[in-house]
Amino acid sequence: DLNAFLKLPGKKKNWYDNAYLRMLTSSWMNEASDYDPLQENAEKLVMLAKYNLSPMAAVGVLEKFQESITLFSEVLQLGAVDPEKIHSHNVLDRMQKDPNNQHFQKIEYSKIDEEADLLLNQCTQYDQILYDYAVELLAQRLVEQTAEEECFA
């Protein structure tokens, strides 16, 4: 039951409740005390996560996969990489079809009810802010890359 899962208390929430924000800020829940730094300092943690993300030379998002690959290949000095030759794979689908993998069993799809939708939005609200920021950073890095290429052409 998705709703029950999203309401799980304690440390398990670290892996789905704004997980990217938690990773970029090391703001993990402490099960021993039930303390969640995100509940008290969300705005500051978003600022810290953006601060930690901003100096990265390259960022990427799946929706701009080809552009992201091009940027990473430039930053890593891999030379000309044809982004069309790099494919995105649905790894989860492959793991779910693997009969030897007992941890990722395919489940029946069902419509998400209003409560689950609300819970999902709560669990991703700060990650969505970071995603939007990463999209901006990607656009900025691509402009910088183009300017650099034109300057040294």
Side-chain angles (χ1 to χ4, degrees):
D1 176 17
L2 180 59
N3 293 1
F5 174 76
L6 293 172
K7 291 178 183 177
L8 284 173
K11 205 163 89 169
K12 290 180 179 100
K13 290 181 84 167
N14 282 329
W15 304 111
Y16 66 85
D17 182 351
N18 294 288
Y20 290 101
L21 177 88
R22 292 181 188 281
M23 284 184 262
L24 282 164
T25 61
S26 295
S27 57
W28 307 107
M29 292 182 71
N30 181 338
E31 194 169 293
S33 67
D34 230 12
Y35 173 71
D36 184 0
L38 186 56
Q39 297 304 315
E40 293 182 15
N41 304 303
E43 197 170 308
K44 288 180 182 177
L45 290 172
V46 168
M47 289 180 2
L48 177 60
K50 286 180 175 182
Y51 177 81
N52 289 340
L53 193 57
S54 64
M56 293 187 183
V59 295
V61 295
L62 186 58
E63 291 77 10
K64 297 205 178 276
F65 183 75
Q66 301 301 333
E67 296 94 329
S68 298
I69 292 298
T70 300
L71 179 60
F72 276 102
S73 68
E74 287 291 324
V75 168
L76 296 172
Q77 299 177 345
L78 299 175
V81 174
D82 182 1
E84 296 297 323
K85 291 184 179 179
I86 299 176
H87 303 284
S88 172
H89 298 279
N90 186 340
V91 176
L92 179 60
D93 186 57
R94 189 174 61 236
M95 289 186 334
Q96 289 174 334
K97 290 178 181 173
D98 181 354
N100 298 318
N101 190 336
Q102 300 300 312
H103 300 289
F104 291 95
Q105 298 297 312
K106 197 153 189 126
I107 59 172
E108 291 292 320
Y109 287 99
S110 61
K111 185 171 170 61
I112 295 176
D113 63 32
E114 195 172 308
E115 181 185 20
D117 189 50
L118 177 65
L119 290 166
L120 284 167
N121 285 328
Q122 288 172 349
C123 288
T124 59
Q125 63 183 329
Y126 303 115
D127 281 352
Q128 184 61 52
I129 293 168
L130 290 178
Y131 171 83
D132 294 341
Y133 184 67
V135 169
E136 289 175 24
L137 282 177
L138 174 60
Q140 180 183 338
R141 299 297 189 271
L142 290 170
V143 167
E144 292 167 359
Q145 177 192 21
T146 302
E148 189 175 299
E149 287 172 359
E150 289 174 0
C151 184
F152 294 107

